[in-house]
Amino acid sequence: MTFTTSNISQQSFGLAGSVPATLTLFNRLSTDDKLGVLWFIYKEMGNGAVTPAATGAARLQFATGLLGQVKDLSPNEQLAFMRDLVNRARTPMTRAYGVLTNNTKLAFWYQLAEMMKAGDVIGVPSVYKLSPRASEVYSGIVALEFGQQITLLRQSVISMGYDPFA
């Protein structure tokens, strides 16, 4: 195949277009569906379905205190906090999240999922199944290439929480 300017533009647009389209679908999900999709994404990291995010690049030490606060909450309060993050509620803890850098927010969710796996934070019930819409979004994320997955994950979590400076 010969590459011309128009094929390259079309190919680039097709690849870049799948992230915004999938992100739009993600943003239209209910709060609990968003949490479910994030759980399944992070649960599948390392199993080949989703590429693990490079959390070492993020300054997770800035989120350690907040993660400790989440761990100290009751299971119902932990779930309420996660819902508050997704819904951009204005609470002291969501404000602490809101001022984190984009990479730290991505690392925060990765660490939160690890805490869920370890049983330190309320997890998704083992019988939980994604809704049809959430399953479609999850499949769309899995189909993305590594860089696109990270971009989509970062874009999905950066707007969460409450940023008092925004």
Side-chain angles (χ1 to χ4, degrees), residues 103-148:
N103 282 341
T104 304
K105 288 177 181 178
L106 186 61
F108 175 90
W109 279 97
Y110 176 81
Q111 189 60 42
L112 191 62
E114 290 297 306
M115 291 167 64
M116 291 168 75
K117 288 179 192 176
D120 296 329
V121 173
I122 187 171
V124 176
S126 61
V127 295
Y128 177 80
K129 293 195 187 304
L130 290 171
S131 72
R133 288 183 64 204
S135 185
E136 177 185 341
V137 172
Y138 173 77
S139 295
I141 294 169
V142 169
L144 297 173
E145 295 175 4
F146 168 73
Q148 293 174 310

Side-chain angles (χ1 to χ4, degrees), residues 66-74 78 115 120-121:
L66 181 58
L67 287 163
Q69 288 179 341
V70 174
K71 186 177 177 178
D72 290 341
L73 297 172
S74 72
Q78 292 169 348
M115 291 167 64
D120 296 329
V121 173

Side-chain angles (χ1 to χ4, degrees), residues 8-163:
I8 293 171
S9 297
Q10 288 173 349
Q11 286 179 342
S12 297
F13 178 76
L15 290 175
S18 59
V19 170
T22 306
L23 184 60
T24 297
L25 291 173
F26 177 83
N27 287 332
R28 290 182 182 159
L29 293 174
S30 70
T31 299
D32 286 346
D33 277 347
K34 287 177 187 176
L35 290 172
V37 168
L38 287 172
W39 164 249
F40 276 93
I41 288 169
Y42 283 108
K43 183 177 141 196
E44 292 303 316
M45 284 187 171
N47 293 339
V50 179
T51 308
T55 59
R59 296 185 173 186
L60 192 55
Q61 69 264 22
F62 295 121
T64 302
L66 181 58
L67 287 163
Q69 288 179 341
V70 174
K71 186 177 177 178
D72 290 341
L73 297 172
S74 72
N76 286 339
E77 291 170 326
Q78 292 169 348
L79 180 57
F81 166 72
M82 288 183 236
R83 287 175 173 156
D84 284 348
L85 278 181
V86 172
N87 291 325
R88 300 179 188 111
R90 185 178 181 174
T91 70
M93 289 177 68
T94 60
R95 285 171 41 141
Y97 175 89
V99 298
L100 297 174
T101 66
N102 295 347
N103 282 341
T104 304
K105 288 177 181 178
L106 186 61
F108 175 90
W109 279 97
Y110 176 81
Q111 189 60 42
L112 191 62
E114 290 297 306
M115 291 167 64
M116 291 168 75
K117 288 179 192 176
D120 296 329
V121 173
I122 187 171
V124 176
S126 61
V127 295
Y128 177 80
K129 293 195 187 304
L130 290 171
S131 72
R133 288 183 64 204
S135 185
E136 177 185 341
V137 172
Y138 173 77
S139 295
I141 294 169
V142 169
L144 297 173
E145 295 175 4
F146 168 73
Q148 293 174 310
Q149 288 175 350
I150 298 303
T151 298
L152 184 123
L153 286 172
R154 184 177 294 113
Q155 292 301 313
S156 67
V157 301
I158 61 172
S159 63
M160 293 181 183
Y162 180 81
D163 185 351

